Amino acid sequence: MDKLRIEGGVPLHGTIAVSGSKNAALPILFASILLDSPASFLNVPHLQDIETTLRLLRMIGVSCENEDHVVQTEPGNLLPEAPYDLVRTMRASVLCLGPLLARLGRARVSLPGGCAIGARPVDQHLKAFEQMGARFDLEGGDIIGRTSRLRGAHIVFDMPTVGGTENVMMAAVLADGTTILENAAREPEVVDLAKFLISCGANIVGHGTPIITIKGVSSLSANTYSIMPDRIEAGTFLAAAGITKGKLLIKHCPYQELETVINKLQEMGMQITKTSEGVLAELGKAGLHGTDVKTQPYPGFPTDMQAQIMALMSVASQSSIVDERIFENRFMHVPELIRMGAKITISGHTAMIRGVSHLIGAQVMASDLRASASLVLAGLAAHGTTNVRRIYHLDRGYEQIEKKLNAVGARITREQQ
Ligand code: EPZ
């Protein structure tokens, strides 16, 4: 397994480009199952989770070519199975369920287990599909879904679920009749999926709002589609400029979709301005000071930026409070930050951070994708050397992060651990 060795204390200066969004690319690639003709996807990030998705698509019978951030797919004879050893490495594999039920009327998908950040159930997905006429059996850890034909339904999610909204949207576009999704997720990645499906001929209105209406059509014809930039990668780079007291120009930074994050970083003392070249981020003269954050569904503060802003808070003056309202166990980065000298206490889903003057480099362990990003940020700011181990977590969601950061002054090497 690899580790990243980070020599901290260097302010980052220069231009850094954001790749395509992992969380938009995954559902959009799974949507290729719905198509009966070849499709091309541009600006696809080069990530472990993308490779896993393409492996699963090939197993299902969709041929995939992946060259220089362009993925080309061509559906063949579909085999509706997603095996455990693939699903367990990437929970988002469950997103093949909706398209397979829509195209074939049957699917066998290993029930995704939990992960480091929580139980991550898919009950909302299954409940919605049952309302659309699917029936499910559980056999040896696999969910086996069957339907003669999906039909439109009026679905009200118990909570806004990104994957649930995406999965059901992909099922509804070919269903018989109209589906209304209430309490739908409004994340930009859900909107990007809807835009792709509409470009193929789907009839969807209301995406980006809590109520989405989908009128089933008989078939979808493929298109060339460019994936939106990754707002979480962009937010991570904004935080890197602040925590290293540097100045970064971030190209392809989706400013509007990051509004809540940018507002919070500005509250903490960062100067973030939109320019014709990209978004300019630097720390103001007064330095970093604390703020409070509560994670919520979009457009609230994204849970996927919680670990990263907590790294910033750990070296801000005054105290900060983080209230993690989406996942039940998303503080795995806290004990590792404490090893670096951070002063953080946890009570339930709330963390209290008392800022310290600086962090000290240490051996730390990554536990999940965004926790890894938090530890990299802390390592960039810390005095001395930080070794972040188990960075396979990081490689799932950040394309060549050490290459991008080294190009703006960081001192990171990837080593065998
Ligand atoms: C997506 O996960 C993202 N993953 C996550 O990003 C992100 O943290 C999450 O949305 C929230 O924004 C992808 O898009 C691939 P949810 P998802 O369904 O769809 C509960 C990253 O770091 N829930 O919106 O799995 C669930 O337990 C990853 O890139 C149910 O109870 O998240 C959670 O508390 C991590 N039953 C809440 O809803 C269900 O059937 C939100 O989960 C579904 C969800």
Side-chain angles (χ1 to χ4, degrees), residues 22-23 26 91-92 95 117 120-125 159-164 166 187 303-304 326-328 330 369-370:
K22 166 179 87 80
N23 290 350
L26 296 183
R91 311 175 21 72
L95 291 173
I117 63 177
R120 312 284 300 271
V122 290
D123 58 298
Q124 300 294 305
H125 305 227
M159 78 294 289
T161 153
V162 171
E166 292 166 343
E187 271 70 5
T303 176
D304 289 353
I326 303 293
F327 291 113
E328 63 270 29
R330 203 167 197 175
L369 170 54
R370 305 306 173 181

Coordinates of all heavy atoms in Angstrom, one line a residue, residues 22-23 26 91-92 95 117 120-125 159-164 166 187 303-304 326-328 330 369-370, ligand 1:
K22 N -16.2 13.3 -9.7 CA -16.4 11.9 -9.5 C -17.9 11.6 -9.3 O -18.5 10.7 -9.9 CB -15.6 11.5 -8.2 CG -16.0 10.1 -7.7 CD -15.2 9.7 -6.5 CE -15.8 10.1 -5.2 NZ -16.9 9.4 -4.6
N23 N -18.6 12.4 -8.5 CA -19.9 12.1 -8.1 C -21.0 12.4 -9.1 O -22.1 12.1 -9.0 CB -20.3 12.7 -6.7 CG -19.5 12.0 -5.6 OD1 -18.9 11.0 -5.8 ND2 -19.5 12.6 -4.4
L26 N -20.0 9.1 -12.0 CA -20.4 7.7 -11.6 C -21.9 7.5 -12.1 O -22.1 6.6 -12.9 CB -20.3 7.5 -10.1 CG -18.8 7.5 -9.6 CD1 -18.8 7.2 -8.1 CD2 -17.9 6.6 -10.4
R91 N -19.6 1.5 -3.1 CA -21.0 1.4 -2.8 C -21.9 2.0 -3.9 O -23.0 1.6 -4.2 CB -21.4 2.2 -1.6 CG -20.5 1.9 -0.4 CD -21.0 2.9 0.7 NE -22.3 3.4 0.5 CZ -23.4 2.7 0.6 NH1 -23.3 1.5 1.0 NH2 -24.6 3.3 0.4
A92 N -21.3 2.9 -4.7 CA -22.1 3.5 -5.8 C -22.5 2.5 -6.9 O -23.3 2.9 -7.7 CB -21.3 4.7 -6.3
L95 N -25.9 2.0 -8.1 CA -26.6 2.8 -9.1 C -26.9 2.1 -10.4 O -27.5 2.7 -11.3 CB -25.7 4.1 -9.4 CG -25.6 5.1 -8.2 CD1 -24.6 6.2 -8.5 CD2 -27.0 5.7 -7.9
I117 N -17.9 5.6 7.1 CA -18.6 6.8 7.6 C -20.0 6.5 8.0 O -20.7 7.4 8.5 CB -18.6 7.9 6.5 CG1 -19.3 7.5 5.2 CG2 -17.2 8.4 6.2 CD1 -19.4 8.7 4.2
R120 N -25.0 3.5 5.7 CA -25.3 3.8 4.2 C -26.4 2.8 3.7 O -26.2 2.2 2.7 CB -24.0 3.7 3.4 CG -22.8 4.4 3.9 CD -22.8 5.9 3.8 NE -22.8 6.3 2.4 CZ -21.8 6.5 1.6 NH1 -20.6 6.2 2.0 NH2 -21.9 7.0 0.4
P121 N -27.5 2.7 4.3 CA -28.6 1.8 3.8 C -29.1 2.3 2.4 O -28.8 3.5 2.0 CB -29.7 2.0 4.8 CG -29.5 3.3 5.5 CD -28.0 3.5 5.5
V122 N -29.8 1.4 1.7 CA -30.4 1.8 0.4 C -31.9 1.5 0.4 O -32.5 1.3 -0.6 CB -29.7 1.0 -0.8 CG1 -28.3 1.5 -1.0 CG2 -29.8 -0.5 -0.5
D123 N -32.5 1.6 1.6 CA -33.9 1.3 1.8 C -34.8 2.3 1.0 O -35.8 1.9 0.4 CB -34.3 1.4 3.3 CG -34.0 2.7 3.9 OD1 -32.8 3.1 3.9 OD2 -34.9 3.5 4.2
Q124 N -34.4 3.5 0.9 CA -35.2 4.5 0.1 C -35.2 4.1 -1.4 O -36.2 4.3 -2.1 CB -34.6 5.9 0.3 CG -34.6 6.4 1.7 CD -36.0 6.6 2.3 OE1 -36.8 7.3 1.7 NE2 -36.3 5.9 3.3
H125 N -34.0 3.6 -1.9 CA -34.0 3.2 -3.3 C -35.0 2.1 -3.5 O -35.8 2.1 -4.4 CB -32.6 2.6 -3.7 CG -31.4 3.5 -3.4 ND1 -30.4 3.7 -4.3 CD2 -31.0 4.2 -2.3 CE1 -29.5 4.5 -3.8 NE2 -29.8 4.8 -2.6
M159 N -35.8 11.2 3.3 CA -34.8 12.3 3.5 C -34.2 12.5 2.1 O -34.3 11.6 1.2 CB -33.7 11.9 4.5 CG -32.7 10.9 4.0 SD -33.2 9.2 3.6 CE -33.5 8.6 5.2
P160 N -33.6 13.7 1.8 CA -33.0 13.9 0.5 C -31.8 12.9 0.4 O -30.9 12.9 1.1 CB -32.5 15.3 0.5 CG -33.2 15.9 1.6 CD -33.5 14.9 2.6
T161 N -31.9 11.9 -0.6 CA -30.8 11.0 -0.8 C -30.3 11.2 -2.2 O -31.1 11.1 -3.2 CB -31.3 9.5 -0.6 OG1 -30.5 8.7 -1.4 CG2 -32.7 9.3 -0.9
V162 N -29.0 11.5 -2.3 CA -28.4 11.7 -3.6 C -28.5 10.5 -4.5 O -29.0 10.5 -5.6 CB -26.9 12.2 -3.5 CG1 -26.2 12.2 -4.8 CG2 -26.8 13.5 -2.8
G163 N -28.0 9.4 -4.0 CA -28.0 8.1 -4.8 C -29.4 7.6 -5.0 O -29.7 7.2 -6.1
G164 N -30.3 7.8 -4.0 CA -31.7 7.4 -4.2 C -32.3 8.2 -5.4 O -33.0 7.6 -6.2
E166 N -30.9 9.7 -7.8 CA -30.2 9.4 -9.1 C -30.7 8.0 -9.6 O -31.1 7.9 -10.8 CB -28.7 9.4 -9.0 CG -28.1 10.8 -8.7 CD -26.7 10.8 -8.2 OE1 -26.2 9.7 -7.7 OE2 -26.1 11.8 -8.3
E187 N -28.5 18.2 -5.2 CA -27.0 18.3 -5.4 C -26.7 18.6 -6.9 O -27.4 18.1 -7.8 CB -26.3 17.1 -5.0 CG -25.8 17.1 -3.5 CD -27.0 17.1 -2.5 OE1 -28.1 16.9 -2.9 OE2 -26.7 17.2 -1.3
T303 N -21.5 17.7 3.4 CA -20.7 16.8 4.3 C -19.4 16.4 3.7 O -18.4 16.2 4.5 CB -21.6 15.5 4.6 OG1 -20.8 14.6 5.4 CG2 -22.0 14.8 3.3
D304 N -19.3 16.4 2.4 CA -18.0 16.0 1.8 C -16.9 17.0 1.9 O -15.8 16.8 1.6 CB -18.2 15.7 0.3 CG -19.0 14.5 0.1 OD1 -19.2 13.8 1.1 OD2 -19.4 14.2 -1.1
I326 N -25.3 14.5 8.4 CA -25.7 13.6 7.3 C -25.3 12.1 7.6 O -26.1 11.2 7.5 CB -25.0 14.0 5.9 CG1 -25.4 15.5 5.6 CG2 -25.4 13.0 4.8 CD1 -26.9 15.7 5.3
F327 N -24.0 11.9 8.0 CA -23.6 10.6 8.3 C -23.3 10.4 9.8 O -22.8 11.4 10.5 CB -22.3 10.2 7.5 CG -22.6 10.1 6.0 CD1 -22.1 11.0 5.1 CD2 -23.4 9.1 5.6 CE1 -22.4 10.9 3.8 CE2 -23.7 8.9 4.2 CZ -23.2 9.8 3.3
E328 N -23.5 9.2 10.3 CA -23.4 9.0 11.7 C -21.9 8.7 12.2 O -21.7 8.7 13.4 CB -24.2 7.8 12.2 CG -23.9 6.4 11.6 CD -24.6 6.1 10.3 OE1 -24.9 7.1 9.5 OE2 -24.8 4.9 10.0
R330 N -18.7 10.3 10.7 CA -17.8 10.9 9.8 C -16.8 11.8 10.5 O -16.5 12.9 10.1 CB -18.6 11.7 8.8 CG -17.8 11.9 7.5 CD -18.6 12.4 6.3 NE -17.7 12.2 5.1 CZ -18.1 12.4 3.9 NH1 -19.3 12.9 3.7 NH2 -17.3 12.2 2.9
L369 N -12.3 8.6 2.1 CA -11.8 9.5 1.0 C -11.6 11.0 1.6 O -10.5 11.5 1.4 CB -12.9 9.5 -0.1 CG -12.7 10.6 -1.2 CD1 -11.4 10.6 -1.8 CD2 -13.8 10.4 -2.2
R370 N -12.6 11.5 2.2 CA -12.5 12.9 2.6 C -11.6 13.1 3.8 O -11.0 14.2 4.0 CB -13.8 13.6 2.7 CG -14.7 13.4 1.5 CD -14.1 13.9 0.2 NE -15.0 13.6 -0.9 CZ -14.7 13.8 -2.2 NH1 -13.6 14.4 -2.5 NH2 -15.5 13.4 -3.1
Ligands
EPZ1 C1 -23.6 10.6 -2.1 O1 -23.6 9.4 -1.3 C2 -22.1 10.8 -2.4 N1 -21.5 9.7 -3.2 C3 -21.3 11.0 -1.1 O2 -20.0 11.3 -1.4 C4 -22.0 12.1 -0.3 O3 -21.3 12.3 1.0 C5 -23.5 11.9 -0.1 O4 -24.1 11.7 -1.3 C6 -24.2 13.0 0.6 O5 -24.0 14.2 -0.1 C7 -21.7 9.7 -4.5 O6 -22.4 10.5 -5.1 C8 -21.1 8.5 -5.2 P1 -27.2 9.8 0.4 P2 -25.0 8.6 -1.1 O7 -28.0 8.7 -0.1 O8 -25.9 8.8 -2.3 C9 -29.3 8.2 4.3 C10 -17.7 11.2 -1.3 O9 -16.9 11.4 -0.4 N2 -30.0 7.2 3.4 O10 -27.4 11.2 0.0 O11 -24.8 7.3 -0.6 C11 -27.8 7.9 4.4 O12 -27.5 7.0 5.4 C12 -19.0 10.4 -1.0 O13 -17.5 11.5 -2.5 C13 -30.9 6.3 4.0 O14 -31.1 6.3 5.2 O15 -25.6 9.5 0.1 C14 -27.3 9.3 4.8 O16 -27.5 9.5 6.2 C15 -19.0 10.0 0.5 N3 -31.5 5.4 3.1 C16 -28.2 10.2 4.1 O17 -29.4 9.5 3.7 C17 -31.2 5.4 1.8 O18 -31.8 4.5 1.1 C18 -27.7 10.8 2.8 O19 -27.2 9.7 2.0 C19 -30.3 6.3 1.2 C20 -29.7 7.2 2.1

